[in-house]
Amino acid sequence: MLPDYSLIAWLLIVFSVYLTGVSKGGFAGGFGTLSVPLMALAISPAQAAGLLLPLLLVMDVFAVKAWWGRQAVAEVWRFVPGLFIGVAVGTLLFDSLSEQGLRLTLGVITLLFATYMLLKPVAKKPISARWALPAASVCGFTSFMAHAGAPPLNVYLLPRKLSKETFIATCAVTFAVVNVIKLAPYMWLGEINVTSAWASLVLVPIAWIGVRNGLWLQSRVNEALFYRLVILAMFLVGFNLIYQAV
């Protein structure tokens, strides 16, 4: 049986899933970060995260298939230990946060990442590979809490000066890995259940359309304009979540 959400909630969920799919397809990568905060305006953050994870796994299959073979394999392996650490920390802290606490945490993360995307700080010199572990640890934690692992990963990967295709492919494979790591803790904590699984199943076509559109949009749409619009939306949503929490 599907969750008894309002029409507005379902519209936000559908749009969020589509936006995540577009990001997974490689267009304006990282903007899937907005999905859980958007959904959390209408449903609880835990429900939003649990509903989205199975869909992320489906999208990962499409994205990895499209980009496989172009990833920086050494970088992905450097991330794996940190991803486990971040997910473990998120799992341990999850039960200590109330719904309002989760909403506040989500709002703060959203504002921080919107600020990062606005300023886009990039190191002038290539960053050392030893920063892969802390970057991946933060990525694992924020990904666990809000499926928002892109900004911490970008802080490390952008100064590594990878080609665009290698960057997108490396991100696609890394997020597939962290989402698989998150699956068991999500089920253990009850974030994924029979009801949320049905909702996720119904939304699979939206996820597929989003990924396909993301692949198509890469060379056809003004990414800079889209980038600015999503940053503005992230600021608005982040402030709204913090307002709801306090």
Side-chain angles (χ1 to χ4, degrees):
M1 182 178 293
L2 293 175
D4 186 22
Y5 296 146
S6 67
L7 177 61
I8 293 176
W10 276 112
L11 289 174
L12 284 173
I13 290 168
V14 169
F15 178 69
S16 298
V17 170
Y18 175 77
L19 184 64
T20 303
V22 168
S23 180
K24 284 283 188 183
F27 178 74
F31 287 134
T33 300
L34 182 59
S35 297
V36 172
L38 265 178
M39 292 162 66
L41 294 175
I43 63 178
S44 79
Q47 287 178 324
L51 189 154
L52 194 56
L53 181 57
L55 290 164
L56 288 174
L57 292 168
V58 172
M59 295 180 207
D60 286 335
V61 173
F62 298 141
V64 170
K65 182 179 178 181
W67 293 102
W68 185 256
R70 285 170 278 188
Q71 71 273 19
V73 177
E75 298 287 10
V76 175
W77 279 112
R78 290 188 189 106
F79 293 144
V80 172
L83 296 177
F84 273 104
I85 291 170
V87 170
V89 172
T91 303
L92 294 173
L93 293 180
F94 186 83
D95 277 339
S96 65
L97 295 173
S98 64
E99 181 173 325
Q100 293 306 94
L102 283 172
R103 212 175 285 275
L104 178 63
T105 302
L106 191 55
V108 171
I109 289 174
T110 303
L111 289 182
L112 288 174
F113 289 174
T115 302
Y116 162 78
M117 290 179 178
L118 181 65
L119 299 177
K120 289 191 72 176
V122 177
K124 293 181 180 180
K125 296 181 179 179
I127 194 170
S128 170
R130 67 173 177 268
W131 289 101
L133 180 63
S137 298
V138 177
C139 172
F141 175 75
T142 55
S143 181
F144 182 87
M145 300 300 292
H147 302 315
L153 201 66
N154 290 350
V155 170
Y156 170 81
L157 278 181
L158 288 175
R160 298 290 285 174
K161 308 297 183 183
L162 304 176
S163 69
K164 181 180 179 181
E165 287 193 349
T166 302
F167 175 83
I168 294 173
T170 301
C171 287
V173 175
T174 301
F175 293 137
V177 171
V178 74
N179 287 333
V180 170
I181 295 171
K182 286 164 11 186
L183 184 59
Y186 267 49
M187 295 177 69
W188 179 59
L189 291 167
E191 290 186 77
I192 295 178
N193 50 54
V194 174
T195 302
S196 71
W198 274 111
S200 300
L201 182 63
V202 168
L203 292 164
V204 167
I206 304 298
W208 180 82
I209 291 170
V211 174
R212 298 302 303 175
N213 285 0
L215 292 167
W216 184 84
L217 286 168
Q218 285 186 75
S219 60
R220 294 174 174 86
V221 173
N222 186 337
E223 193 167 358
L225 174 61
F226 186 82
Y227 196 95
R228 289 192 289 269
L229 290 174
V230 175
I231 289 174
L232 174 62
M234 289 184 74
F235 275 113
L236 294 175
V237 170
F239 280 120
N240 195 299
L241 286 170
I242 293 172
Y243 176 77
Q244 289 182 11
V246 301

